[in-house]
Amino acid sequence: MVLHYTYENRPYIFETPWTDPEGTSIIFREIISRLEKTHGPAFSAHREQTLRLDLAVDRLYEQIYRFGNEYQAIPYDPKHRKRFLETYGEIHSLSKIEEAREEAAVLTELFGQVLDKLQEIVGLYLLDNSYQGKHRYRRKNFEEWVETTAERSISCEFESVLIQMTDLSRLLEQLTATQRERLVKHIFLNYTLQEIADQEGVGKKSISESITAALKKLRTLL
């Protein structure tokens, strides 16, 4: 992830990984390590805080993996939505810094950028699970109708077919992570192409081509 901040009236930018090779969250500790390396030990006092933050992110990852990779075996539980949001709320709470020093302002700025990305992940997860619950009954009735009708040629918009005949999460798994994120933002979260481009720091044309390629790939799977 690319992060940017201002310290002592100078802008800085750096890139940091989210996890180590074992998949453990290290992004908050990497932020402190980079700040210590660049500006000295002034930020060391917050190292314990970043450890607690990374542990909380790991707990969030565990819930995503469990209900993402095993959703076929584990029925969706509406109560999990509450637990999921509580875990994100814990990260948000742990990231707060009450100090007025410039170092605290830098950390608040950097932590905020990470939280924004986590919030997107939480939103996509809840959207996916909301989709499965909301459209499960409609999809079941539609499939029963297809089995009993002699007419197999159904003409309708691609988005309608997507809702009625498929499981969104299974389709999205066939896309790259970048395509999946951009497609969901544009179609289901109503972001404009320009808004997505601004968030990622790329051109609008790149976003448009990515989403078009994703839709083309999904059409081949229907």
Side-chain angles (χ1 to χ4, degrees), residues 30-211:
E30 284 292 312
I31 288 174
I32 285 294
S33 296
R34 181 60 66 94
L35 292 174
E36 288 176 335
K37 182 178 180 180
T38 305
H39 307 293
F43 295 91
S44 300
H46 298 278
R47 180 166 287 279
E48 183 63 28
Q49 179 184 12
T50 59
L51 173 59
R52 292 196 300 271
L53 278 165
D54 279 324
L55 290 174
V57 172
D58 283 336
R59 288 191 288 274
L60 186 67
Y61 287 166
E62 288 174 2
Q63 293 188 50
I64 293 174
Y65 293 153
R66 180 188 177 199
F67 285 84
N69 297 336
E70 302 179 21
Y71 70 90
Q72 296 184 51
I74 303 176
Y76 177 64
D77 180 2
K79 294 180 180 179
H80 181 61
R81 178 186 180 94
K82 180 179 179 181
R83 295 193 296 269
F84 194 78
L85 291 174
E86 286 176 346
T87 304
Y88 172 74
E90 178 187 5
I91 299 171
H92 195 278
S93 178
L94 287 171
S95 69
K96 292 182 178 178
I97 301 175
E98 304 297 338
E99 300 173 14
R101 295 183 301 125
E102 186 175 6
E103 289 81 7
V106 169
L107 288 174
T108 297
E109 182 179 4
L110 291 171
F111 288 178
Q113 293 172 48
V114 178
L115 285 171
D116 286 345
K117 194 64 177 179
L118 287 173
Q119 188 175 33
E120 290 182 17
I121 295 172
V122 170
L124 293 176
Y125 172 87
L126 294 179
L127 174 71
D128 185 37
N129 280 283
S130 174
Y131 169 88
Q132 292 186 43
K134 182 177 180 181
H135 298 290
R136 185 180 294 113
Y137 180 75
R138 179 192 295 181
R139 186 171 62 250
K140 179 177 182 294
N141 284 350
F142 183 81
E143 289 172 348
E144 289 176 351
W145 175 81
V146 169
E147 291 176 358
T148 58
T149 184
E151 178 59 56
R152 300 303 182 186
S153 177
I154 303 170
S155 176
C156 54
E157 293 296 323
F158 166 69
E159 287 77 9
S160 177
V161 175
L162 184 65
I163 292 175
Q164 295 177 349
M165 296 185 63
T166 67
D167 185 314
L168 177 61
S169 60
R170 293 182 184 179
L171 278 176
L172 294 181
E173 286 173 1
Q174 307 305 311
L175 304 177
T176 66
T178 298
Q179 287 178 327
R180 182 166 58 246
E181 181 176 335
R182 291 172 174 175
L183 181 66
V184 171
K185 279 184 180 180
H186 183 54
I187 293 182
F188 299 101
L189 298 183
N190 296 320
Y191 283 76
T192 66
L193 298 178
Q194 189 60 58
E195 286 173 336
I196 300 173
D198 291 342
Q199 288 177 5
E200 299 185 11
V202 299
K204 179 180 177 180
K205 182 179 179 181
S206 175
I207 299 298
S208 177
E209 291 176 347
S210 177
I211 291 176

